Each structure stands twice: as C-alpha cells, then as structure tokens.
C-alpha cells in the first residue's frame, strides 16, 4: 500500500469512530465524588466547631457543683487542644480538594490517599472524645448518687457489675457509631474514587 492509498483510507475513516482514551472521562467523573466530599466537609466543619464550644457549657447545663469544674475543664482543655489539631488538618484537607483540577491521575491518587488519611484522623478524633465523655458521665452519675444520699462505696456488687457492662457496651456502641458514620459520610466517595483509579489501571 503506497502513500496515496494510506491517505485516502485515513480520509475515509468516520471521525465518530475515533477512540478517545477513557482516562480523560474517568478523571472528569472523579470530580463528582470530590465535590460531594467538599460539600460534606463544608457542612460539617462549622458544626464541629459549634459542638466543641457547646461542650464547654455542659457543667452549667447538667448542674455540676463548682468543686467539680476543675476536673471537667481539665478534661475539656485537653479536648480543645486535640480538636484544634484535628480541625486544622480537616481544614487543610478541604483546601487541598479545592485545588484539585482533575487533569492528572497522580493528583487524583493524592486526593484519594489524603481522603483515606483524613478518614483515619476523623475516626481517631472520635475515639479521643471517649475519655471526656466517660468523665462527664462519671461526674453526672456521682452527682445523682449524692442527691440520693448514697456513695460509690455503698452500691451493691451486682449494680457495679451492671455499671461496668453498661460502660463497655456504651463504649463499643460509640466506637461502632463513629466507624459507621465515617463510612457513611466519606466511605462511599472514597470507594467511588478507588473504583475509578482501578479502572484507569486496567
């Protein structure tokens, strides 16, 4: 086949049959889950800040005696420090998603790995709230006993065992809720991004 025949065959080919690499389309599709992630983060960020501030007013709301304030606010101060570190990372990741343009596979991989890391950080933040929750519940329980004229030393063994089991079940329930909530908010979008990246590797 000479040059003229090749040229004629090229001109006769239907332009609609030209194959466009699906990598471009997949990168465009990836913008959709990233936009969902941004929307979730934008809604959550102010709510988390408000929640941390409101927790500071629990002693007044629950009627804790002023003698217990030092216990509560020592725990709360640790909570604020941990929250500040987490919220800074949360905000930093949000700004990274805003810079994503969807034009390279490498940038999509970076967003995916940052999302997975942020999910782990999100869960860790939830787990670190548990000690403060336990202290708050403990103080509330202690105050209820005092109102009845009782003390921890006078409660029965069966009640103590029931209390320990309740604490364990409550802890397991909180951990499970944190994991499920993380998967519900970010897990689906992370899976979507992972599927796109796997398709691009095939």
């Amino acid at each position: 086949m000479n040059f003229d025949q090749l040229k004629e065959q090229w001109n006769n080919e239907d332009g609609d049959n030209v194959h466009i690499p699906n990598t471009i389309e997949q990168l465009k599709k990836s913008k959709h889950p990233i936009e969902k992630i941004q929307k979730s983060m934008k809604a959550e960020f102010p709510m988390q800040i408000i929640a941390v501030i409101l927790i500071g007013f629990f002693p007044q709301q629950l009627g804790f005696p002023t003698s217990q304030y030092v216990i509560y606010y020592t725990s709360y101060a640790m909570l604020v420090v941990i929250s500040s570190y987490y919220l800074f990372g949360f905000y930093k990741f949000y700004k990274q998603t805003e810079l994503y343009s969807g034009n390279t596979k490498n940038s999509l991989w970076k967003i995916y790995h940052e999302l997975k890391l942020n999910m782990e950080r999100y869960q860790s933040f939830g787990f670190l709230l548990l000690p403060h929750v336990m202290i708050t519940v403990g103080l509330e329980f202690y105050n209820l006993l005092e109102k009845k004229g009782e003390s921890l030393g006078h409660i029965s063994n069966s009640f103590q065992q029931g209390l320990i089991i309740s604490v364990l079940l409550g802890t397991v329930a909180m951990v499970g809720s944190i994991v499920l909530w993380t998967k519900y908010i970010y897990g689906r979008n992370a899976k979507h991004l992972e599927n796109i990246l796997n398709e691009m590797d095939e």
Side-chain angles (χ1 to χ4, degrees):
M1 184 180 290
N2 59 31
F3 178 76
D4 290 333
Q5 288 175 317
L6 282 170
K7 185 178 177 182
E8 184 180 353
Q9 185 176 347
W10 178 267
N11 291 333
N12 289 334
E13 283 185 356
D14 186 1
D16 294 334
N17 292 329
V18 177
H19 176 66
I20 299 173
N22 59 2
T23 300
I24 298 171
E25 293 302 319
Q26 287 165 333
L27 284 170
K28 287 180 180 178
K29 278 197 301 181
S30 70
K31 190 70 177 174
H32 183 56
I34 290 172
E35 286 172 351
K36 281 188 172 182
I37 292 165
Q38 289 173 334
K39 187 176 179 181
S40 296
M41 293 181 78
K42 194 172 183 180
E44 259 198 299
F45 189 71
M47 291 182 67
Q48 289 177 351
I49 293 174
I50 291 169
V52 171
I53 293 171
L54 291 177
I55 289 171
F57 296 99
F58 274 15
Q60 291 80 18
Q61 295 296 320
L62 297 173
F64 287 177
T66 54
S67 60
Q68 293 178 351
Y69 280 16
V70 65
I71 299 172
Y72 183 87
Y73 283 110
T74 299
S75 174
Y76 179 70
M78 294 173 65
L79 173 66
V80 169
V81 171
I82 293 168
S83 300
S84 299
Y85 173 77
Y86 164 73
L87 291 170
F88 175 74
F90 189 89
Y91 178 76
K92 190 176 176 182
F93 175 64
Y94 176 77
K95 298 305 286 185
Q96 283 181 329
T97 61
E98 284 189 329
L99 296 174
Y100 173 70
S101 58
N103 57 355
T104 66
K105 181 181 173 183
N106 287 338
S107 62
L108 183 57
W109 267 116
K110 185 176 180 181
I111 288 292
Y112 172 73
H113 287 301
E114 286 293 329
L115 173 60
K116 296 292 283 185
L117 180 63
N118 194 67
M119 288 172 64
E120 290 294 327
R121 193 184 295 122
Y122 188 96
Q123 290 181 354
S124 298
F125 173 63
F127 300 152
L128 289 169
L129 293 176
L130 283 171
H132 183 74
V133 171
M134 292 299 177
I135 289 170
T136 305
V137 172
L139 290 172
E140 177 65 10
F141 180 72
Y142 178 82
N143 292 330
L144 288 173
L145 285 177
E146 274 208 332
K147 287 177 182 177
K148 293 180 180 180
E150 300 176 1
S151 65
L152 292 172
H154 293 93
I155 59 177
S156 64
N157 289 334
S158 59
F159 188 85
Q160 289 179 20
Q161 291 171 0
L163 183 62
I164 292 169
I165 292 170
S166 298
V167 169
L168 287 173
L169 291 176
T171 302
V172 170
M174 280 192 69
V175 169
S177 299
I178 291 165
V179 172
L180 290 174
W181 179 253
T182 306
K183 288 184 177 179
Y184 175 75
I185 295 293
Y186 299 110
R188 292 174 297 176
N189 295 315
K191 189 66 179 175
H192 191 172
L193 286 175
E194 185 181 6
N195 290 338
I196 292 169
L197 287 163
N198 288 336
E199 287 174 15
M200 290 165 65
D201 286 335
E202 292 176 358

